[in-house]
Each structure stands twice: as C-alpha cells, then as structure tokens.
Amino acid sequence: MGLSLAFRPDEDFYVGDERFIVVDVTSPVSFTIRRERDGREFPLVDDGGRVEIASDVLVRVGRRGQGNLARIDITAPRTVPILTGRNYRGEPG
C-alpha cells in the first residue's frame, strides 16, 4: 500500500534526500513534478499508470484532488523515507 500526499504548485517532497517539486497543476488529475537534482520532469495524468521517479519509487495521480491541488500516490520500499518538504526541513506545522 502506498502513501498519498497532497501538494499545491511549488510545494515539495523528499524521497530519501532527493527533492521533488510540484511545478504545474493543470487540473486535479494532471500535473507535473520535477526532480531538483537534474531538472527532469515527470508529467502525471490520471490514466492508472505509474511513473518511476527514483529507484523502486513509483508515483501516480491520487484520488480526490481538487482545484490546484495535486494528490500523489507514492509507492516505495519501507526503507526509503518519504517526507513533505516542511517535515524534511523541520519547519513548524
């Protein structure tokens, strides 16, 4: 079972120490994330498919997105930490 997180444009998350940024939300079922390290972009659409963004880490469009909110379902090995940018940086909630 995967983790489901919601982001607005310019919000980020980390897979291990690798930063990913939500750069464009066209609709709740169509958005793009960018890997900071190399600038590679991963367009996601609600077609049921998964996209590998890191070794053994798969993402797809999650359910119940709304407006300019991107809901991302992330599947990764339990040994790979997945954190929102705020949690990674230790920012207050």
Side-chain angles (χ1 to χ4, degrees):
M1 180 163 194
L3 172 67
S4 185
L5 298 171
F7 299 96
R8 288 184 167 46
D10 298 320
E11 290 185 325
D12 60 347
F13 64 96
Y14 286 78
V15 174
D17 289 324
E18 185 97 52
R19 183 176 185 227
F20 292 86
I21 306 160
V22 175
V23 292
D24 182 38
V25 179
T26 308
S27 76
V29 295
S30 177
F31 50 86
T32 303
I33 59 176
R34 178 183 304 133
R35 185 169 51 204
E36 183 180 58
R37 162 176 53 93
D38 58 6
R40 181 170 175 196
E41 293 192 350
F42 300 90
L44 299 171
V45 295
D46 189 15
D47 61 1
R50 295 181 181 268
V51 176
E52 187 173 44
I53 62 170
S55 181
D56 295 326
V57 178
L58 303 170
V59 296
R60 70 176 178 182
V61 173
R63 300 284 177 228
R64 295 175 295 195
Q66 56 188 347
N68 70 337
L69 192 65
R71 184 166 297 279
I72 305 171
D73 285 343
I74 305 169
T75 304
R78 290 184 181 268
T79 57
V80 177
I82 309 292
L83 296 168
T84 64
R86 292 178 68 156
N87 287 338
Y88 184 88
R89 291 183 291 275
E91 296 174 4

